[in-house]
Amino acid sequence: HRFLQPALRQAASSHLPQKNTSRAPIIVGQVCTTVKSRATLNYANCNTPFVGSLSHHRAISTTATPSVLSASLQLSPNPNNLDNAFTSKIQSYSSMSSSEQPQQSPIKTNTGIETSSGGGGSSKSIFAKLWDRYSFQGQQKRIILGERLFRSAQVRANDARWYREGRIPYEFRPRHAILTMHVWFLHKRLLADRVDPHAALLLQEELFDILWNDTRSRIRAEGVNELTVNKHLKDAQQLTFLHCTHYDHAFQEYANDDKKRFEELAAAIWIHVLNRDEEAYDDQLKRLAAYVEYQYMNIVLGVPDTYFWEGRIPWGDVPEFRGMVDNDGKKLKEIGSAVVDGLEELPEPWMRTLTDAGAAYYWNTDTNETTWKKPS
């Protein structure tokens, strides 16, 4: 059913640098310019319940420790060591669907994407559903919106503050975990959609397809042998599903227990984002867990349907990492504008992106100018 998508994807990626040209038209050229921001939320002063140290979480066995497959990728969880409850969730993760939702009016957006009315996907005829899935127009709209949502998550995950002030290691797995976190927020919003659950389900599939294509490019950019790319991708997919189901577990099992939910989120962040770092700061985990709590409410319940179906995601602010203390209560030295090894900071509105082969190029999201040379 995806026979038309290679041509559409080629059109969507036509902003790659070309010889003797500085401009190239693209379908999703306004992706990054649609990202809005809200007033700063001071996570350092949040009142979310939190008790003592997280050392007891660091002994739980909900995931298997990955073996080192290469110098730069650590992506091999052993399925035999995974907790049964989590493995069962992983197996059914992609088969989750929305329940029947109340009827809503159609939403018209300025992108040409119009959602259906009359209860969304639950009341659609089989022919309408087939049209959504297989028609050229349906696939084109889905690809455009999927790209917009993914690029919005990617821009937020690539913010330098996570890796500088936030002290998150700038390595493949932590960076992938931050991206996964933001894709999960969008995934939960799509599952909760009341406008057109069928279109939302198709869009969710598209969103994860884009994530896997991007992950494959980032794996190639790490310089691994081409024969092992698919193996690394499979390992990354397994870690991604495990990461997502850990968040699901926290919000489902402790929906009415703020304290336990917050501790479980902190544990999930320590396991998946900080890779079980025994020297991680509890203060750092508190702020990241508070961010997940806030962002879940913001994306799933706060973003208006019209904005969401245009791909405009108001993420709010990155957590405030200033004034953090270590596990002995001593204030950490401020990093400021320190250089993080491997992190490229580009002038606005330039963005670093990758070809399918993993080669880096630079894209001006305002003018659509592209270049292989790093802009100064």
Side-chain angles (χ1 to χ4, degrees):
H1 69 279
R2 307 181 71 84
F3 67 97
L4 288 175
Q5 295 212 6
L8 293 174
R9 292 190 185 283
Q10 183 176 5
S13 61
S14 62
H15 59 297
L16 296 180
Q18 304 292 330
K19 292 183 178 180
N20 301 323
T21 181
S22 60
R23 297 284 300 277
I26 59 172
I27 291 179
V28 293
Q30 299 304 315
V31 171
C32 297
T33 61
T34 60
V35 180
K36 308 294 182 183
S37 63
R38 289 182 176 174
T40 301
L41 177 64
N42 189 348
Y43 301 96
N45 296 326
C46 67
N47 296 318
T48 311
F50 189 85
V51 178
S53 170
L54 289 172
S55 59
H56 61 287
H57 285 295
R58 300 177 183 181
I60 63 176
S61 58
T62 56
T63 62
T65 303
S67 60
V68 179
L69 295 183
S70 69
S72 55
L73 298 179
Q74 300 180 1
L75 298 172
S76 289
N78 182 356
N80 297 324
N81 294 335
L82 300 179
D83 181 86
N84 290 334
F86 278 92
T87 53
S88 63
K89 287 184 179 180
I90 292 173
Q91 292 169 357
S92 63
Y93 197 83
S94 60
S95 63
M96 291 187 296
S97 63
S98 301
S99 60
E100 187 172 343
Q101 303 291 354
Q103 293 189 358
Q104 298 286 332
S105 300
I107 288 181
K108 296 181 179 180
T109 70
N110 59 18
T111 63
I113 299 174
E114 180 176 345
T115 61
S116 64
S117 60
S122 60
S123 64
K124 280 186 174 180
S125 68
I126 183 64
F127 300 105
K129 291 182 178 180
L130 289 173
W131 176 264
D132 283 348
R133 179 178 287 274
Y134 298 112
S135 70
F136 181 87
Q137 293 91 333
Q139 292 188 57
Q140 183 184 49
K141 293 175 182 178
R142 193 162 62 246
I143 290 173
I144 293 173
L145 184 53
E147 286 281 351
R148 289 188 173 188
L149 292 175
F150 178 78
R151 297 305 170 190
S152 175
Q154 185 184 52
V155 168
R156 169 47 63 98
N158 288 342
D159 194 301
R161 288 172 289 182
W162 296 110
Y163 312 103
R164 192 175 54 233
E165 292 94 330
R167 293 174 168 81
I168 295 174
Y170 192 74
E171 300 167 358
F172 181 91
R173 185 173 176 184
R175 286 187 286 125
H176 183 77
I178 292 292
L179 177 59
T180 297
M181 176 195 298
H182 290 88
V183 169
W184 178 81
F185 294 132
L186 300 174
H187 155 74
K188 297 303 288 186
R189 172 57 185 260
L190 289 168
L191 284 182
D193 183 73
R194 293 172 176 266
V195 176
D196 191 339
H198 181 256
L201 183 61
L202 296 177
L203 182 56
Q204 181 185 185
E205 295 175 0
E206 185 66 34
L207 179 64
F208 276 96
D209 281 347
I210 296 170
L211 173 62
W212 305 142
N213 289 336
D214 178 77
T215 303
R216 185 184 291 109
S217 296
R218 287 184 284 111
I219 289 172
R220 286 181 172 137
E222 296 288 337
V224 302
N225 189 298
E226 182 64 26
L227 295 176
T228 67
V229 167
N230 286 339
K231 180 179 183 298
H232 285 305
L233 176 61
K234 183 178 179 181
D235 294 335
Q237 288 174 327
Q238 190 172 22
L239 286 170
T240 300
F241 289 139
L242 188 62
H243 189 179
C244 291
T245 52
H246 205 154
Y247 290 142
D248 288 340
H249 171 75
F251 281 97
Q252 292 171 6
E253 295 297 322
Y254 305 112
N256 299 317
D257 191 330
D258 293 343
K259 175 183 172 182
K260 287 188 176 294
R261 183 176 65 251
F262 189 79
E263 291 182 347
E264 191 66 27
L265 288 174
I269 291 167
W270 178 72
I271 292 169
H272 302 288
V273 177
L274 300 180
N275 201 15
R276 297 177 180 268
D277 183 6
E278 293 291 345
E279 298 181 359
Y281 304 117
D282 288 351
D283 191 12
Q284 178 189 33
L285 292 172
K286 290 181 188 180
R287 300 181 190 214
L288 291 172
Y291 175 81
V292 175
E293 287 264 23
Y294 158 73
Q295 206 63 265
Y296 178 83
M297 297 296 293
N298 175 41
I299 301 302
V300 177
L301 303 176
V303 179
D305 289 329
T306 303
Y307 286 8
F308 185 83
W309 285 97
E310 290 177 354
R312 295 193 287 153
I313 308 300
W315 291 105
D317 205 4
V318 171
E320 176 58 73
F321 291 112
R322 290 176 296 181
M324 283 202 302
V325 298
D326 62 20
N327 293 337
D328 295 323
K330 297 179 180 179
K331 188 174 180 179
L332 296 173
K333 182 180 179 181
E334 298 293 341
I335 293 181
S337 58
V339 177
V340 178
D341 187 32
L343 177 63
E344 283 187 302
E345 295 192 59
L346 303 172
E348 291 287 347
W350 286 94
M351 177 180 175
R352 181 180 184 271
T353 188
L354 300 172
T355 66
D356 287 345
Y361 67 98
Y362 303 93
W363 170 31
N364 187 311
T365 58
D366 282 352
T367 66
N368 288 342
E369 179 184 357
T370 55
T371 178
W372 297 108
K373 184 179 179 181
K374 180 179 177 180
S376 57

